[in-house]
Amino acid sequence: MKYHVVTLGCQMNMSDSERVISVLEEAGYQWTDNEEEAGVIGILACSVRQKAIDKVYSRIHKWNKWKNNKNLVTFISGCILPDDHEKFLKLFDITFQMKDLPELPKMISSYGITTPTHLNVGIDPHNENIEDFWNVQPHYQSNFEAFIPIQNGCDKFCTYCAVPYTRGREVSRPSKDIIAEVALLVAQGYKSITLLGQNVNSYGLDKKGEELTFPQLLREIGELGKRMKKEFWLYFTSPHPRDMTDEVIEVIAEYPVLGKQIHLPMQSGDDKVLMRMNRKHNMEKYRHIVETIRRIIPQATLFTDVIVGFTGETEEQFENTRKAFDEFKFNMSYTAIYSPRPGATSHRWVDDVPLEEKKRRLHQLTEDLRKHNLPYNESLVGQTVRILVRGEDRKEGFLTSYTEGKLTIRFACTDKSMIGQFADVKITSASDFSLEGELVEVAASC
Amino acid sequence: MKKHKVTQVRHLTDSTFVIRFERNGMEFQTGQFVLLGTKGAVDRREYSIYSGENDDYLEVLVREVDGGKVSSKLKKLKAGDLVDVDGPFGFFKFDPQSFQVQQFLFIATGTGISPFHGFVKTHPQLNYKMIHGVRKVEEAYDHDDFNKERVTLCTSGEKGGDFDGRVTEFLKTETIDENTNCFLCGNSEMIYEVFDILSEKGIPTSNIYTEVYF
Ligand SMILES: Cc1cc2nc3c(=O)[nH]c(=O)nc-3n(C[C@H](O)[C@H](O)[C@H](O)COP(=O)(O)OP(=O)(O)OC[C@H]3O[C@@H](n4cnc5c(N)ncnc54)[C@H](O)[C@@H]3O)c2cc1C
Ligand code: SF4
């Protein structure tokens, strides 16, 4: 039977969908790009974003109509709030939590034999069987870049975020399994591996004394990199400043395979906004981390996440975020306009910054980022850097790649066999958000 | 999420009450909160733990919010009912041993007094001062459980407290040693203002801990 899976939301859902696909393939189902010819269709949903939830409704209404003319089994999983879960119970044939993924083929084959409600399990925030899910060998979507979940759930309860309510409590995956998955991927020639979790650097804290800490896990992977003598870059996302210790930074500096790019969500540059966001870090702590990174790994690039227009954010508080941009000179910021997420605490608070003002703040920060990026990127012109080729560029005759610090570089080449390979590129020109270069050793067919 | 049986509901004012329920072995550090809802309800909310670490029950202090979805349902609870509880969560944890200087200032508005009740119940020998801001004298929730000399009740809606006016007005008149560990809990307006006042008085940000309710 053919199946189709729709994945909405963030990188975590993308990574989960690799395991869903793998379980279905293993059970003998065949993938189809065409929803209409599938006998089983599933969605990995995301309650965290209203738009993603709207998409679920429009899809399921369409599929349920198809059921008048053909046999179709629908399922849903992912990041789902209890409220949405209640509604989906009535609309989908099967709802399940990721920890129950290994049971999915059984649920599909017994659908129609047992009653539908029997197959619909409630949301259990404790993630006790999540290891069964992690033990599923994923069907990786790329043959040179892979994401490895190392932890599920979040206990931080930032007031703007619904993840603690959708993914439940923080649970760390056994380190031996993570290291084994990294080793397997490296042996298969993967070049870029990202450890994934809502709070990667609180890894192990739920099993204190029994499991490695996050810096210990990184060290083990660094040692593995030395032993395997294969070139790869290992990243992680997202860490929380609260749990970012000096030790993490020291370990990154020590091992060549640990990518010199650090993503450190700041969210706001104002202490009061951070309090209201319940971030449990303040600017003093954030500054300490950035200073430590600059001192120990001066070549590291720094990425961040910022929310503009959070409930009650005043002009002065926003200006503090701008000052933080001036101070930290991020290489990239994923800046989001605040919108109340159903299920999150701040959803109950007045969303009082007008949309136009939020847009202005977003635009302003993008301009600030541009202003700081340009001189940094220009300073790289003339340097030869190692890059990982990722695909064809929008500009014809060019390939796109990124540096170890995840800065995008394009270069003239039409040899697609270079995709997924490392190469050396001399940077020839720079703009605010990208770089251009030329291959140092030109492939025969470029 | 676990079901816990309610053993007692104590109404302190028309709108505020303490719900006591079975602890069922839940380990927590005073200052943390639980997610609480009536049995089987989709909506649950955060409530600081009001009882002490050594009590064999759990308590929360709740104020019914006008038109509030969850607090109004909680108000109707009776002994014997079941509630859904998840937790404990949060980093407003309080362990006096982890502070070099044993000098604490607690500032609360309304039910924001709840974690401090837990702090003091767990650590009765604590060297603390507490400023509690409310509208009316009747909102001095369980002040008998605190050392009277350490507490200042600020009433903004009527006379009769230790200070007539808001917490922030009182705080401005106080001298505070810069080594004091300051804990702020309640509504964000108060927390913002108090944060500014404390900063002006030279208290470093690293000595200020906050829990925002709304
Ligand atoms: C970490 C944390 C701990 C908390 N601990 C407690 C506690 O110990 N005791 C307690 O009573 N509440 C506490 N709260 C607030 C509580 O979680 C709920 O927000 C509150 O009970 C209202 O829920 P509701 O469903 O009844 O109202 P909703 O239907 O959610 O409507 C809430 C509306 O009331 C406002 N509101 C929320 N709380 C209050 C309040 N206390 N006074 C006035 N307006 C309010 C909100 O901004 C919103 O506009 C805590 C909140 C957080 C984030
Ligand atoms: S934003 Fe906060 S609550 Fe949400 S996943 Fe990240 S740390 Fe957890």
Side-chain angles (χ1 to χ4, degrees), chain B residues 151-171:
Chain B
V151 178
T152 306
L153 180 70
C154 302
T155 47
S156 60
E158 65 182 19
K159 288 195 163 54
D162 303 310
F163 178 83
D164 299 333
R166 299 171 62 223
V167 163
T168 42
E169 291 160 35
F170 174 73
L171 192 63

Side-chain angles (χ1 to χ4, degrees), chain A residues 348, chain B residues 45-48 61 63 65 68-71 213-214:
Chain A
R348 284 134 45 193
Chain B
R45 297 282 185 260
E46 308 83 359
Y47 293 98
S48 302
L61 171 74
R63 188 170 86 82
V65 170
K69 241 181 173 176
V70 175
S71 57
Y213 279 5
F214 64 100

Side-chain angles (χ1 to χ4, degrees), chain A residues 119-137:
Chain A
L119 300 169
N120 289 320
V121 280
I123 291 191
D124 165 14
H126 288 287
N127 282 322
E128 264 142 18
N129 304 327
I130 190 78
E131 285 187 22
D132 295 345
F133 160 70
W134 283 326
N135 287 334
V136 171
Q137 178 63 35

Side-chain angles (χ1 to χ4, degrees), chain A residues 29-65:
Chain A
Y29 294 92
Q30 299 108 38
W31 171 266
T32 171
D33 284 334
N34 180 0
E35 279 174 31
E36 291 186 30
E37 60 177 36
V40 175
I41 310 187
I43 282 203
L44 291 193
C46 167
S47 281
V48 175
R49 289 172 200 280
Q50 189 56 46
K51 265 194 196 143
I53 283 300
D54 296 343
K55 277 189 194 158
V56 173
Y57 284 114
S58 74
R59 287 296 226 302
I60 188 63
H61 287 310
K62 179 172 77 178
W63 297 337
N64 281 341
K65 274 190 201 142

Side-chain angles (χ1 to χ4, degrees), chain B residues 95-203:
Chain B
D95 171 15
Q97 303 321 320
S98 59
F99 294 91
Q100 278 178 351
V101 179
Q102 291 289 302
Q103 192 172 303
F104 301 96
L105 174 65
F106 305 145
I107 305 179
T109 44
T111 50
I113 192 177
S114 177
F116 305 137
H117 186 266
F119 289 4
V120 170
K121 233 180 150 207
T122 308
H123 308 284
Q125 306 307 327
L126 215 58
N127 176 17
Y128 72 94
K129 278 194 170 177
M130 184 173 79
I131 309 171
H132 187 202
V134 292
R135 277 185 3 89
K136 296 184 172 174
V137 178
E138 63 164 17
E139 292 161 63
Y141 311 124
D142 284 337
H143 272 212
D144 290 345
D145 293 344
F146 296 86
N147 180 336
K148 275 255 161 10
E149 283 160 21
R150 296 183 179 277
V151 178
T152 306
L153 180 70
C154 302
T155 47
S156 60
E158 65 182 19
K159 288 195 163 54
D162 303 310
F163 178 83
D164 299 333
R166 299 171 62 223
V167 163
T168 42
E169 291 160 35
F170 174 73
L171 192 63
K172 282 180 194 155
T173 65
E174 285 286 279
T175 312
I176 302 162
D177 184 293
E178 62 180 44
N179 290 315
T180 311
N181 308 297
C182 304
F183 285 74
L184 284 42
C185 183
N187 71 65
S188 51
E189 306 305 318
M190 176 281 281
I191 287 179
Y192 282 5
E193 279 184 59
V194 167
F195 180 82
D196 284 342
I197 298 169
L198 292 176
S199 301
E200 274 162 32
K201 289 184 185 286
I203 311 287

